[in-house]
Amino acid sequence: MQVELQCRSRPSTEAISHDRQDQVEQFFKSGHTNNWAVLVCTSRFWFNYRHVANTLSVYRSVKRLGIPDSHIVLMLADDMACNSRNPKPATVFSHKNMELNVYGDDVEVDYRSYEVTVENFLRVLTGRIPPSTPRSKRLLSDDKSNILMYMTGHGGNGFLKFQDSEEITNVELADAFEQMWQKRRYNELLFIIDTCQGASMYERFYSPNIMALASSQVGEDSLSHQPDLGIGVHLMDRYTFYVLEFLEEIHPASQTNMNDLFQVCPKSLCVSTPGHRTDLFQRDPQNVLITDFFGSVRKVEITTETISLDPNLVILESRTPKDEITTEALKYAEQLPVAQIIHQKPKQKDWHPPGGFILGLWALIIMVFFKTYGIKHMKHIF
Amino acid sequence: MAAPLVLGVLVAVTVRAVLYRSSLAAFISDRVEVSSPLSAWKRVVEGLSLLDLGVSPYSGDIFHETPLIIYLFHFLIEYAELVFMITDVLTAVALYLAIQDFNKVVFKKQKLLIELDKYAPDVAELIRTPIEMHYIPLKVALFYLLNPYTVMSCVAKSTCAINNTIIAFFILATMKGSAFLSAVFLALATYQSLYPLTLFAPALIYLLQRQFIPVKLKSKGFWIYTTQYAALYLCSLVVIICLSFFLLSSWDFIPSVYGFILSVPDLTPNIGLFWYFFAEMFEHFSLFFMCVFQINVFFYTIPLAVKLKEHPIFFMFVQIAIISIFKSYPTVGDIALYMAFLPVWGHLYRFLRNIFILSCMLIVCSLLFPVLWHLWIYAGSANSNFYYAITLTFNVGQILLISDYFYAFLRREYYLTHGLYLTRKDGTEAMLVLK
């Protein structure tokens, strides 16, 4: 919800301190008013269990910190919880020995299975969605939304692979973000990517107010964390595992800032070197709270004082024409001249072979007949 | 012999009438094996109704029949079923009479060769007797009438039946020795579908033999007769084509009929070999391959004429079979025509080598055609390769059948003149090999 207000300071007898007025102004001028999250897992097949677990763990943290499902677009390319190869059905674990089930009871997946395509992803970002798309599949952000974008899967230098059949390049992604900026679809955007050579994906961003984190530099592979011998696959990727551990410490009132997030998963733990990019971001990362992106923190202040809000009223004059231009009665143009058609009888003209043809044909047949059987039969006919 | 023939005709007509009234008629007329773009009944009806609306039927890609068919069906369209039953009966009767004459010719020739002592002494079991040959014409007529292929073709009202009738009349006219009628019917057959042009050679050889003119390139009599026959044939062809011009006052029918047969633009699957190749061919090769495929039909005429110049009717049979296999839009009706001739060479049975596997191939493929069509088009679990595989196998079966009969025929001829028990120079038993 967006509320545009201008508090005008006016001398009044109401007991409003100038301080309080300023505070109110501050209240409405801070950056963002709502939070969105777009969480994308791009790989399918059972052995890519860890990518789904990555996405679900970020989903879980983001939901726990307050972003509701209506503001989360969750895209999972394959169903691991109900996969026929899952020995523990209806669960997706992030820690071995079944310590943490990130699937839970209330997961709402918006784009599932084959719906996770590059086209759908870009349409979600840019808002160019067919009118029949339900609300849960739309990113209905505005220019006061802070958006968290998390992507994971298999990637390379400059691309991210979707569904094992197509790719999105870093150029496309940067252009999509630019479209979002031009359409005023975000206030600030935090982009996290956990793939091999993930830093290549944020190299091309050129729109303002974007902060990006990646799990590995160009030329490095992001590695997975631990396999679970009971399930048989690797459960999480290292970077997201440590991000998850970090986020588990955050609660809605934490004052932890982005610099702490940049320190998550140093090379000793992650084997790859995580990277980040803040040059497009206007605020200092020191001042950016984790909950600005990962949670939906509403500023609530209780006050017993009254504050007057004067909206700017602009009286519009109704435009009424002085004289009514009399026009003739408008009527709908005849699209189909029905009257003409129904009164027209169809002309049934039968085709007949031309007389010359029939004559010629039968003359030939008679000639052949007489040539074969001799002229002597003629006298029997005539 | 008339009574059994009449009985056979009645049975065949009943079978067809029953099928016409059943629900199978609609199913059969839609099958691609039975109706091709050249012979489908729906297209005839469409063309005639286009005429009624004042549009030339050749203006689109729908109608590929000749103007004489237009004329024929313009008046007979309500009695279409009767027309097709009558054409089948006429074909059977024509074949019956033709084979009766042929038997007489064979017997006379055999007698002549025995008296001239041309046969080896120990071939008594290979000599044909009138008793054995007595029922062959009836068998031929019944083979044609009761062949499931013919019945399906008739129920589908495919105009292939009319082509078969004209060819049967041509064969009858040739057997009777009338060069004029034979030329006229051959011209009609060529006018209907281009390929019977190749039947000119066997008919010519047969007529020459009947006139006791030796088939030698140097003989003057040979050339005179050939020119006469060719002139008759070409004149009738030209007259028929010019007459067709006057039906619709346009030459549209030539590209629509003959252009269509030769250039094969319609690649609907059928039991032939053309559609699959041309569906996947690159554009700039298609002309070359078109020429190659079409030459394949005409190509065997001269070699066969050289080899089989003593046996023109067998040559005609092989030629009809080659036309049915290699033509651009074959249907089962074409196959039925040459299969009707098989009883004439029933005496070759002991020399046929592959008859069991061939008959299995042909029967299984005929049964698999609708199955794989259904799987390909309706169920979606097969693709065109499956159907083409069956087409290929079917055609390979037919080619093997023809070559088997060819080999058996030549072998019998060899045995007749050289004796049944062949020995090599050192006395051991020899094997006959076709080189």
Side-chain angles (χ1 to χ4, degrees), chain A residues 112-128:
Chain A
R112 64 195 64 202
S113 188
Y114 287 106
E115 293 170 358
V116 178
T117 58
V118 173
E119 184 190 339
N120 282 353
F121 174 63
L122 290 175
R123 283 186 185 278
V124 163
L125 289 187
T126 54
R128 294 207 172 103

Side-chain angles (χ1 to χ4, degrees), chain A residues 347-354 356-358 360-362 364 367-369 371-373, chain B residues 48 51-53 67-68 70-71 74-75 178 180-181 184 239-240 243-244 246-248:
Chain A
K347 290 188 288 182
Q348 247 339 348
K349 202 171 61 172
D350 272 332
W351 173 84
H352 284 291
F357 175 81
I358 301 181
L361 184 67
W362 285 103
L364 277 175
M367 266 171 40
V368 168
F369 176 75
K371 182 75 173 55
T372 326
Y373 292 106
Chain B
L48 289 174
L51 264 184
D52 278 338
L53 288 171
L68 280 181
I70 297 182
Y71 178 66
H74 178 71
F75 299 107
S178 154
F180 175 63
L181 265 186
V184 165
V239 163
I240 294 173
L243 193 65
S244 317
F246 287 110
L247 186 75
L248 288 171

Side-chain angles (χ1 to χ4, degrees), chain B residues 111-168:
Chain B
K111 204 161 138 191
L112 180 70
L113 287 173
I114 289 177
E115 278 171 16
L116 288 178
D117 236 351
K118 285 280 172 71
Y119 284 166
D122 57 350
V123 293
E125 56 198 56
L126 290 181
I127 304 286
R128 307 185 65 192
T129 58
I131 299 170
E132 152 217 357
M133 302 202 310
H134 182 59
Y135 281 106
I136 289 182
L138 181 65
K139 277 195 216 167
V140 166
L142 285 180
F143 254 55
Y144 185 76
L145 280 175
L146 297 175
N147 194 347
Y149 291 148
T150 329
V151 173
M152 284 206 302
S153 193
C154 180
V155 170
K157 294 194 262 213
S158 153
T159 55
C160 181
I162 298 179
N163 291 3
N164 287 355
T165 311
I166 298 179
I167 295 180

